[in-house]
């Protein structure tokens, strides 16, 4: 009797899985012979169903050349012998403490969008709704394997200085997931594309290939330092499945989520092999989001943040011919005055948009001065003239205001008539 269930249901799905194996072979993650033996054994049922007369044809459909059919057929024959009861598979000993059920939550997913669109907020709410455990880290240009996984560092003890393995976000989440088998663990990577993912993940990249059960399909040998730590009583212990044989495998309850600003995608481009191992979700700008209906106060005038966003994003798109530089509704987190508006919003517009496209025509214009252009430098120091420039800027963009006498009403900055926000 075969001790596992066939997961492939169509011929095309079988070919696609074989193609993935071919990619792994080309990248050096597995030998051709090892893959053919493994694939023939684990998917013997599907192979004999869709390729009954010539199983080796599947290898050709999957991209392989001839040369490993013997290993392929050997794997299929091993499956047939188990199916026909000629050999008995050793009994599988399971432990409830190590059985991890795959849930309906995505295993690996990246939320992407413009700066401030609410990516981190969306991830946080998703995890909170599932009552999961969240472990966060942020990638940056200096991030590497050690800052993501852990390394030995000097630690001061009563009897002097010693060295101990200090776990980082990945190892913390890995240990927690194996120990808390009944709980969903979420490793959240903020700004994933601001770090060199190939350098940071290293061999762990291979663990992102998950099987139908949610477990990593291809184990990875842990480096000596990590292996020693995971085998310690402080972590998992030498006999634990999470480090058995010195191998790492992501359990089904360990979810890896990430956020990415589209405006930063040129920092460390991700290769296609890395990208295809993730689900992707775009987080759009939501001007109607009730939790981001902020106000901008400049002098004696109050402006509606969503109205400003709508108008300025139109200008950004027109100037840059791209949505990447637009601002999201959570670009600011609360009502702001002149100082914060200048240092956060106007600085971003100047440094990331208008300065780069100044030859195409800056939209830093003051309607109160005949649509004359103004500079970022002219906004300092803050005084009545500065307020007038910014108010003229709002009028040029036609941003709606919030009259002090009618808090619920909104008008254009250069109009006295009430207008509705859509």
């Amino acid at each position: 009797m075969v001790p596992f269930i066939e997961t492939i249901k169509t011929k095309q799905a079988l070919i696609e899985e074989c193609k993935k194996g071919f990619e792994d072979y080309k990248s050096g993650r597995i030998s051709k012979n090892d893959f053919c033996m493994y694939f023939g054994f684990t998917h013997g049922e599907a192979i004999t169903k869709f390729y009954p007369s010539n199983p080796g044809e599947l290898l050709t459909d999957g991209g392989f050349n001839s040369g490993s059919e013997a290993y392929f057929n050997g794997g299929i024959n091993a499956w047939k012998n188990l199916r026909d009861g000629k050999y008995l598979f050793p009994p599988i000993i399971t432990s409830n403490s190590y059985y991890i059920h795959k849930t309906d939550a995505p295993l690996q997913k990246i939320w992407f969008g413009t700066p401030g669109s609410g990516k981190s907020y969306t991830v946080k709410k998703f995890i909170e709704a599932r009552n999961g455990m969240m472990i966060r880290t942020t990638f940056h240009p200096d991030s590497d394997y050690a800052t993501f996984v852990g390394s030995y560092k000097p630690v001061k003890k009563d009897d002097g200085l010693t060295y101990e393995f200090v776990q980082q976000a990945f190892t913390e989440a890995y240990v927690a997931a194996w120990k808390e088998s009944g709980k969903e663990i979420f490793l959240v990577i903020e700004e994933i594309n601001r770090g060199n993912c190939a350098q940071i993940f290293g061999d762990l990249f291979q663990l992102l290939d998950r099987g139908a059960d949610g477990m990593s399909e291809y184990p990875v040998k842990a480096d000596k330092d990590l292996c020693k730590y995971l085998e310690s009583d402080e972590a998992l212990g030498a006999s634990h499945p999470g480090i058995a044989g010195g191998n790492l495998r992501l359990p089904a309850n360990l979810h890896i989520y990430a956020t990415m600003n589209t405006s930063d995608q040129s920092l460390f481009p991700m290769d296609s092999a890395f990208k295809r191992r993730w689900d992707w979700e775009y987080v759009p700008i939501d001007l109607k989001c009730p939790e981001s209906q902020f106000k901008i106060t400049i002098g004696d005038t109050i402006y509606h943040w969503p109205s400003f966003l709508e108008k300025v994003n139109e200008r950004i798109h027109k100037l840059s011919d791209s949505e990447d530089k637009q601002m999201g509704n959570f670009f600011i987190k609360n009502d702001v005055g002149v100082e914060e508006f200048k240092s956060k919003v106007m600085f971003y517009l100047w440094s990331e948009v208008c300065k780069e496209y100044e030859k195409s025509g800056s939209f830093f214009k003051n309607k109160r001065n005949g649509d004359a252009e103004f500079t970022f430098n002219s906004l300092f120091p803050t005084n009545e003239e500065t307020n007038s420039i910014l108010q003229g800027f709002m009028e040029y963009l036609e941003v709606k205001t919030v009259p002090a006498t009618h808090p619920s009403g909104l008008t254009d900055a250069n109009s006295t008539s009430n207008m509705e926000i859509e």
Side-chain angles (χ1 to χ4, degrees), residues 18-256:
C18 190
K19 287 181 178 179
K20 290 181 182 178
F22 180 65
E23 289 183 11
D24 291 334
Y25 155 65
K26 286 198 303 181
S27 64
R29 290 197 291 273
I30 191 170
S31 73
K32 185 198 297 187
N33 292 343
D34 286 350
F35 170 76
C36 288
M37 178 69 79
Y38 158 81
F39 200 71
F41 177 65
T42 56
H43 294 298
E45 180 178 339
I47 295 168
T48 53
K49 177 180 179 181
F50 298 114
Y51 291 87
S53 59
N54 185 13
E57 186 180 342
L58 169 60
L59 295 179
T60 304
D61 292 343
F64 288 93
N65 296 322
S66 61
S68 294
E69 286 87 348
Y71 290 88
F72 188 57
N73 291 326
I76 296 173
N77 288 334
W79 174 84
K80 287 180 177 178
N81 286 332
L82 286 173
R83 177 198 62 182
D84 299 339
K86 294 181 179 179
Y87 298 104
L88 294 179
F89 203 87
I92 300 175
I93 301 174
T94 60
S95 168
N96 290 334
S97 62
Y98 296 145
Y99 174 73
I100 300 175
H101 176 65
K102 180 185 175 184
T103 65
D104 59 350
L107 293 169
Q108 285 130 208
K109 187 171 183 177
I110 294 176
W111 280 262
F112 67 103
T114 59
S117 58
K119 300 176 290 296
S120 298
Y121 175 82
T122 301
V123 174
K124 180 183 177 183
K125 288 297 182 184
F126 178 88
I127 295 173
E128 288 177 348
R130 302 187 68 89
N131 196 31
M133 175 182 174
M134 180 170 63
I135 296 169
R136 296 174 70 249
T137 187
T138 302
F139 281 2
H140 53 81
D142 290 332
S143 297
D144 58 16
Y145 181 88
T147 59
F148 182 49
V149 177
S151 62
Y152 273 90
K153 294 183 178 182
V155 177
K156 189 175 182 180
K157 297 285 187 176
D158 294 336
D159 54 350
L161 197 64
T162 185
Y163 282 83
E164 292 182 0
F165 185 89
V166 178
Q167 65 174 355
Q168 298 298 333
F170 172 82
T171 305
E172 182 182 354
Y174 186 81
V175 172
W178 277 109
K179 284 187 172 181
E180 301 286 342
S181 58
K183 190 177 184 66
E184 289 182 313
I185 308 299
F186 296 87
L187 172 58
V188 178
I189 304 170
E190 303 283 5
E191 313 283 356
I192 189 171
N193 58 319
R194 295 192 70 241
N196 186 337
C197 291
Q199 171 183 298
I200 297 169
F201 275 83
D203 289 345
L204 301 181
F205 166 84
Q206 188 170 319
L207 298 177
L208 300 180
D209 276 319
R210 310 280 196 113
D213 60 357
M215 303 285 289
S216 295
E217 288 190 293
Y218 308 110
V220 168
K221 279 288 183 184
D223 64 62
K224 291 182 180 179
D225 291 345
L226 178 58
C227 184
K228 182 179 179 181
Y229 172 73
L230 292 177
E231 288 179 342
S232 69
D233 293 336
E234 178 186 353
L236 298 177
S239 61
H240 197 284
I243 194 58
N247 290 319
L248 301 172
R249 289 187 73 196
L250 300 183
N253 64 330
L254 177 51
H255 307 264
I256 305 178

Side-chain angles (χ1 to χ4, degrees), residues 337-381:
V338 174
E339 292 299 330
E340 189 172 354
F341 182 72
K342 288 194 308 179
S343 63
K344 191 174 183 70
V345 179
M346 296 301 291
F347 175 72
Y348 174 82
L349 293 176
W350 170 72
S351 63
E352 299 295 330
V353 184
C354 290
K355 187 172 69 171
E356 182 177 351
Y357 300 99
E358 59 185 355
K359 291 183 180 179
S360 304
S362 170
F363 54 79
F364 269 36
K365 294 185 179 181
N366 182 356
K367 188 173 183 65
R368 295 183 175 184
N369 192 22
D371 291 349
E373 289 191 19
F374 63 90
T375 65
F376 182 68
N377 186 68
S378 66
L379 300 178
F380 298 87

